[in-house]
């Protein structure tokens, strides 16, 4: 069964009124400020606009904000005091990402229902246990929670039930039964799976355990299919020419091919001088610091050419500015964990705390400087390994035909 969103008679700022009210200044500072309940200067811009439901003037509010562990978004809401119509949606303020993303969340407890979710309009939402799907572009983008997504789906199904009961009573009864199942999910009587698959790469599901790894959440980045490219309007664009050599900048993408083997670098930080080592992290590389129970997934922070110190500082900024562990959204336990994480990371930066820094790159395109070269580094272990099927899937290698081109023979599996 699939559920589309309700047909919305008016979009935020659907049409400008003849005499718009002056826009409110969002305040000094950056255009996109990290979302925070404690930032009094972060105020929405208000624009008087036409309500497409009653054709009188309503109010559109726009908030440009930034979500760490994610990116910049535009939150917009429209309300009409005359007819009561209101509408809220989000849009990504950035470009379409190089890869799609799929979030697979196992919901086991009520706390999982409270996870923040950014769902763009190009994302498909699925609950396999109910064979339930919300197709892409059937709803506007939303900044909500897992519970909010389910409630929104229930509202979309309930909207036309009076008409169905009058014309197709049997269909209405089946939908009533399905709505009851969705409502049962909100009680979390048994675990279920929520999948958000976004070929644009711009959706997001919160990890409430950050900076630690989230065992209930699996994040998969993948190469889009031609059909997905066409759906996003990208098929007509000319492909980018990639340089033959690696483009080394503050943010980098490997211009070389995927290596035959993946690379795992385990480095033991024992001295403050280790902070000056050069580091190249490709966007396919994950980072782990076991002593902090910290794991940074693929594509987070993108590709970077920096030093070990620069990388650790980027991680600290990413984690400590997470709005879901600050302000009204935080719990005392989360705040304490965040403070403890920051203190330990500072101790590593200062050389007080010894720790292991692990880079795992299935594409084999990441690097950490060996200051003892050409001799082996006693504190560094470099392993080359054969990729798993899932890793090849994420790199888009499983569907590539690499054999039989010259002879016309089919590739061997």
């Amino acid at each position: 069964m699939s559920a589309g969103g309700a047909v919305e008679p008016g979009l935020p700022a659907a049409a400008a009124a003849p005499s718009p009210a002056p826009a409110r200044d969002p305040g000094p500072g950056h255009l996109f400020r990290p979302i925070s309940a404690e930032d009094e200067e972060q105020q929405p811009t208000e624009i008087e606009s036409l309500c497409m439901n009653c054709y009188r003037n309503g109010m559109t509010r726009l908030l440009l904000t930034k979500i760490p562990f994610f990116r910049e978004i535009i939150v917009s809401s429209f309300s009409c005091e005359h007819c009561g119509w209101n509408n809220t949606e989000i849009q990504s303020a950035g470009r379409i990402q190089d890869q799609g993303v799929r979030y697979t969340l196992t919901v086991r407890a009520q706390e999982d229902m409270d996870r923040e979710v950014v769902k763009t309009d190009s994302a498909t939402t699925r609950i396999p246990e109910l064979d339930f799907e919300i197709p892409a572009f059937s709803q506007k983008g939303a900044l909500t929670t897992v519970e909010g997504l389910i409630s929104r789906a229930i509202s979309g199904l309930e909207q036309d039930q009076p008409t169905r009961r009058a014309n197709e009573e049997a269909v209405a009864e089946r939908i009533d039964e399905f709505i009851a199942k969705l409502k049962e999910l909100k009680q979390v009587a048994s675990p279920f799976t929520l999948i958000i698959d976004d070929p644009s790469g711009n959706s997001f599901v919160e990890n409430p355990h950050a900076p630690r790894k989230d065992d209930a959440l699996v994040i998969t980045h993948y190469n889009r299919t031609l059909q997905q490219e066409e759906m996003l309007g990208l098929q007509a664009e000319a492909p980018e020419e990639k340089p033959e050599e690696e483009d080394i900048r503050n943010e980098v993408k490997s211009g070389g091919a995927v290596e035959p083997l993946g690379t795992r670098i385990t480095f033991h930080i024992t001295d403050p001088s280790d902070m000056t080592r050069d580091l190249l992290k490709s966007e396919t590389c994950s980072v782990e610091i076991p002593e902090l129970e910290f794991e940074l997934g693929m594509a987070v922070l993108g590709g970077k050419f920096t030093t070990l110190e620069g990388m650790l500082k980027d991680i600290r900024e990413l984690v400590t500015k997470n709005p879901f562990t600050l302000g009204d959204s935080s719990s005392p336990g989360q705040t304490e964990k965040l403070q403890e994480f920051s203190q330990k990371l500072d101790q590593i930066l200062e050389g007080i705390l010894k720790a292991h820094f692990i880079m795992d790159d299935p594409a084999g395109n990441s690097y950490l400087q060996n200051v003892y070269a050409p001799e082996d580094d006693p504190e560094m272990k470099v392993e080359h390994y054969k990729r798993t099927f899932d890793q090849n899937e994420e790199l888009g290698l499983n569907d590539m035909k690499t054999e039989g081109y010259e002879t016309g023979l089919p590739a061997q599996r």
Side-chain angles (χ1 to χ4, degrees):
M1 176 175 287
S2 64
V7 178
E8 301 178 358
L11 297 175
S19 56
R24 181 187 298 173
D25 189 346
H30 297 293
L31 187 61
F32 290 88
R33 303 164 68 95
I35 189 169
S36 173
E38 297 177 350
D39 187 354
E40 297 182 355
E41 294 181 349
Q42 188 182 44
Q43 297 295 327
T45 299
E46 295 186 348
I47 305 171
E48 190 174 352
S49 50
L50 184 66
C51 175
M52 300 306 294
N53 187 47
C54 70
Y55 299 102
R56 301 175 73 176
N57 286 345
M59 185 65 68
T60 293
R61 294 173 176 83
L62 297 174
L63 180 65
L64 280 60
T65 189
K66 182 177 181 180
I67 298 182
F69 295 105
F70 186 51
R71 52 186 61 88
E72 295 89 355
I73 63 171
I74 301 173
V75 183
S76 61
S77 68
F78 176 83
S79 61
C80 178
E81 62 180 8
H82 304 291
C83 68
W85 170 252
N86 60 79
N87 178 18
T88 302
E89 66 178 88
I90 68 106
Q91 294 178 345
S92 172
R95 62 180 179 84
I96 294 175
Q97 303 306 304
D98 293 331
Q99 291 185 306
V101 65
R102 183 184 305 110
Y103 291 87
T104 304
L105 174 66
T106 302
V107 180
R108 299 188 179 96
Q110 191 62 44
E111 290 77 11
D112 293 323
M113 299 293 289
D114 297 331
R115 291 177 185 243
E116 299 282 351
V117 174
V118 175
K119 176 193 168 297
T120 70
D121 53 3
S122 61
T124 298
T125 303
R126 291 194 293 272
I127 301 175
E129 288 82 356
L130 298 185
D131 194 22
F132 176 72
E133 177 175 308
I134 303 175
F137 299 107
S138 64
Q139 290 183 344
K140 296 294 183 181
L143 171 59
T144 181
T145 62
V146 172
E147 182 176 9
L149 277 180
I150 296 175
S151 297
R152 197 178 187 200
I154 292 172
S155 298
L157 290 170
E158 287 180 334
Q159 179 180 358
D160 295 327
Q161 279 297 81
T163 303
R164 293 191 190 101
R165 290 190 184 97
N167 301 323
E168 300 175 278
E169 186 175 350
V171 173
E173 288 178 357
R174 289 198 296 270
I175 292 179
D176 280 335
E177 292 174 0
F178 195 82
I179 290 173
K181 292 180 180 179
L182 285 174
K183 290 181 178 179
E184 288 177 6
L185 288 184
K186 295 170 66 174
Q187 307 303 318
V188 199
S190 60
F192 67 91
T193 307
L194 175 71
I195 301 173
I196 296 180
D197 192 332
D198 187 358
S200 78
N202 284 324
S203 290
F204 168 81
V205 176
E206 176 198 2
N207 171 10
H209 308 292
R212 292 183 297 170
K213 181 180 178 180
D214 189 343
D215 293 329
L217 183 64
V218 177
I219 306 173
T220 305
H221 298 271
Y222 60 86
N223 293 328
R224 286 183 287 268
T225 64
L226 289 177
Q227 183 179 6
Q228 290 171 327
E229 294 271 343
E230 292 174 357
M231 180 181 71
L232 296 173
L234 300 177
Q235 195 56 32
E237 296 182 2
E240 295 183 5
E241 294 185 5
K242 294 189 175 182
E244 294 181 1
E245 299 181 358
E246 290 179 341
D247 180 18
I248 301 179
R249 301 170 292 178
N250 183 39
E251 294 197 6
V252 299
K253 294 181 182 178
S254 172
V258 174
E259 297 297 318
L261 297 174
T263 301
R264 180 181 174 91
I265 303 171
T266 303
F267 178 59
H268 190 202
I269 303 172
T270 59
D271 190 87
S273 62
D274 292 332
M275 295 295 111
T276 62
R277 293 184 183 231
D278 289 334
L279 180 152
L280 175 63
K281 174 194 172 297
S282 81
E283 57 185 1
T284 58
C285 180
S286 61
V287 173
E288 185 179 355
I289 306 175
E291 287 79 3
L292 302 185
E293 298 183 69
F294 174 79
E295 183 174 321
L296 185 74
M298 288 173 54
V300 181
L301 288 179
K304 282 187 175 291
F305 178 66
T306 180
T307 62
L308 182 56
E309 179 182 20
M311 189 68 197
L312 291 175
K313 287 183 176 179
D314 286 340
I315 289 173
R316 180 177 60 187
E317 182 179 2
L318 179 73
V319 172
T320 57
K321 291 189 176 180
N322 179 11
F324 301 130
T325 56
L326 300 172
D328 294 342
S329 300
S330 66
S331 65
Q334 285 180 314
T335 304
E336 291 174 4
K337 290 176 184 176
L338 187 63
Q339 291 174 347
E340 181 182 359
F341 177 86
S342 298
Q343 291 171 359
K344 288 185 176 180
L345 193 55
D346 286 339
Q347 290 174 355
I348 294 173
L349 285 163
E350 295 166 6
I352 299 172
L353 177 64
K354 296 181 180 180
H356 290 83
F357 184 84
I358 302 173
M359 301 171 64
D360 192 337
D361 187 355
N365 287 322
S366 295
Y367 158 85
L368 182 61
Q369 182 185 11
N370 174 6
V371 296
Y372 294 91
E375 303 296 330
D376 291 338
D377 189 326
E379 302 296 344
M380 184 188 300
K381 180 180 180 182
V382 180
E383 303 169 88
H384 299 284
Y385 61 87
K386 185 176 180 181
R387 286 182 289 270
T388 65
F389 179 89
D390 289 340
Q391 288 172 325
N392 279 329
E393 187 74 16
E394 289 189 25
L395 296 174
L397 300 178
N398 287 335
D399 296 326
M400 292 179 64
K401 180 181 178 183
T402 58
E403 301 176 11
Y405 277 108
E406 295 181 359
T407 62
L409 297 174
Q412 299 296 319
R413 288 191 178 270

